Amino acid sequence: MYNIQKVDLQNWQEIPILRQYVDDLPDKPYCSYIKNFCEIRAKKCAIERVYIQPNPPVRVNYIVIDIDHPNGIHAALYDADLPPPHLIIQNPENAHVHLVYKLKHPVYMWGKAKAKHIRYLARVEYGMVRKLGADASYGGNLMKNPLSDVWNTYTTTAPLEGYTLKYLAQFVNLDYLPSDQEAANDQGFGRNCTLFDQTRVHGYNESTASYDALVKLLTPIAENYNNQFDVPLFGNEVMHIVRSIARYCTRTDFTASHQRFSETQSIRSQRRWGDSTDTQKQALQMYAKGVKKTAI
């Protein structure tokens, strides 16, 4: 059994996890008094709003999961066989909740980011959503502000230092997780992976351009992909992705490293499938003679 305790928001500064949460917020987070609208405000003003942006665009400190049914607290603490969340923010009118899990080691989305870490984060989050019966379309842009008296906020026995992704992954059914190649288009951090993968190929094709030229070229492309999501990423998150791709493509060793990557992929493919050179030649000859691609 996990003990939970309702927070007295008049003295929230005395609650270690809430102090840590506020310290980790962006300096100027998106925030709002109502759904479907947001504005940027300084942190000291934003923490007075009803909804708030939980993570800075460059890193993820917290996994936030949205449960749109009245059994959310029981699901989080007993049914799902997951570690307890650090914070539970409940709507008193319908008992819907946001669950907040602090990460021991933040996952950097761009700059210091590594793609495998972002994909791992997306997969773990996906598995947690499935186990909790949570809203898979929740984008995590804005969450119920745990400091707002509109909500009931609870703390649990979760460790203040947070959970590692490796630890959380032990509780997730791996059969439910999408592979790294599958796009989790409208689900949590899967959008970041998908947007990066869709946009970067356009940058690779223009790798001789300058950094500024690439940013100018890739921005509308990334925005177009982003607008196809049910819940688009914030504009500053899109720009971080674009700038990350532009920085990589304008590195002096980009052509050489990209060539090495292609050669590595080719070697891996040959190890798995064998050398297909002769097969490719045969297919081209058949196509030249008018054989349909489906038949080939």
Side-chain angles (χ1 to χ4, degrees):
M1 176 178 290
Y2 302 118
N3 294 324
I4 67 171
Q5 185 172 353
K6 188 175 180 181
V7 173
D8 177 6
L9 294 177
Q10 295 297 320
N11 301 303
W12 68 263
Q13 294 90 342
E14 299 177 7
I15 311 298
I17 185 60
L18 284 176
R19 290 203 311 270
Q20 182 66 61
Y21 172 84
V22 173
D23 287 344
D24 289 336
L25 287 173
D27 291 333
K28 294 183 177 181
Y30 284 88
C31 56
S32 178
Y33 284 116
I34 59 174
K35 279 187 174 183
N36 303 320
F37 171 80
C38 60
E39 55 190 353
I40 298 175
R41 289 291 181 266
K43 185 188 297 189
K44 64 180 181 180
C45 296
I47 61 175
E48 299 175 355
R49 302 296 200 265
V50 176
Y51 299 94
I52 197 166
Q53 176 188 1
N55 294 300
V58 295
R59 70 178 184 274
V60 176
N61 299 308
Y62 299 91
I63 294 176
V64 182
I65 293 179
D66 180 31
I67 300 184
D68 287 335
H69 58 75
N71 196 38
I73 292 181
H74 196 275
L77 299 180
Y78 307 108
D79 292 345
D81 187 28
L82 286 169
H86 290 78
L87 293 169
I88 300 172
I89 306 102
Q90 183 189 53
N91 184 334
E93 296 183 357
N94 56 23
H96 295 181
V97 296
H98 276 169
L99 308 177
V100 182
Y101 298 82
K102 183 180 184 298
L103 295 179
K104 185 174 182 179
H105 306 295
V107 177
Y108 285 87
M109 305 305 283
W110 316 114
K112 298 181 180 180
K114 292 187 177 180
K116 64 178 181 180
H117 294 165
I118 300 173
R119 296 182 190 281
Y120 191 35
L121 168 65
R123 297 178 71 201
V124 169
E125 182 205 34
Y126 180 87
M128 294 173 69
V129 166
R130 289 291 299 265
K131 290 200 74 173
L132 287 161
D135 181 4
S137 66
Y138 172 63
N141 292 341
L142 292 177
M143 62 169 282
K144 295 178 175 71
N145 180 6
L147 303 185
S148 171
D149 58 11
V150 171
W151 318 117
N152 294 329
T153 298
Y154 301 90
T155 59
T156 74
T157 56
L160 182 60
E161 66 270 19
Y163 301 118
T164 65
L165 285 177
K166 184 177 181 180
Y167 179 76
L168 291 174
Q170 297 177 31
F171 297 87
V172 172
N173 188 337
L174 296 179
D175 293 338
Y176 285 153
L177 297 181
S179 70
D180 289 346
Q181 287 73 39
E182 291 180 290
N185 288 340
D186 286 328
Q187 196 274 317
F189 299 113
R191 297 169 304 156
N192 299 73
C193 301
T194 300
L195 184 61
F196 179 78
D197 287 338
Q198 290 175 326
T199 306
R200 65 190 173 101
V201 294
H202 298 276
Y204 296 166
N205 293 334
E206 301 290 340
S207 58
T208 57
S210 68
Y211 171 83
D212 289 339
L214 270 177
V215 169
K216 184 176 181 180
L217 170 71
L218 295 177
T219 297
I221 294 173
E223 289 174 344
N224 180 59
Y225 285 132
N226 187 49
N227 289 334
Q228 295 175 29
F229 296 144
D230 288 343
V231 182
L233 297 168
F234 284 140
N236 56 1
E237 293 178 287
V238 175
M239 287 309 301
H240 276 287
I241 294 174
V242 167
R243 290 166 183 161
S244 177
I245 296 170
R247 278 195 299 271
Y248 178 72
C249 291
T250 52
R251 283 168 37 187
T252 55
D253 64 340
F254 169 78
T255 302
S257 64
H258 195 52
Q259 177 64 27
R260 287 195 299 270
F261 174 76
S262 298
E263 292 172 353
T264 300
Q265 292 293 86
S266 177
I267 291 172
R268 289 175 178 171
S269 178
Q270 288 187 24
R271 285 176 180 173
R272 182 173 182 181
W273 305 108
D275 189 350
S276 61
T277 303
D278 293 339
T279 305
Q280 292 177 18
K281 289 181 179 179
Q282 183 181 2
L284 289 173
Q285 292 173 356
M286 294 172 67
Y287 184 69
K289 293 179 181 180
V291 180
K292 294 183 178 180
K293 291 182 180 179
T294 52
I296 296 174

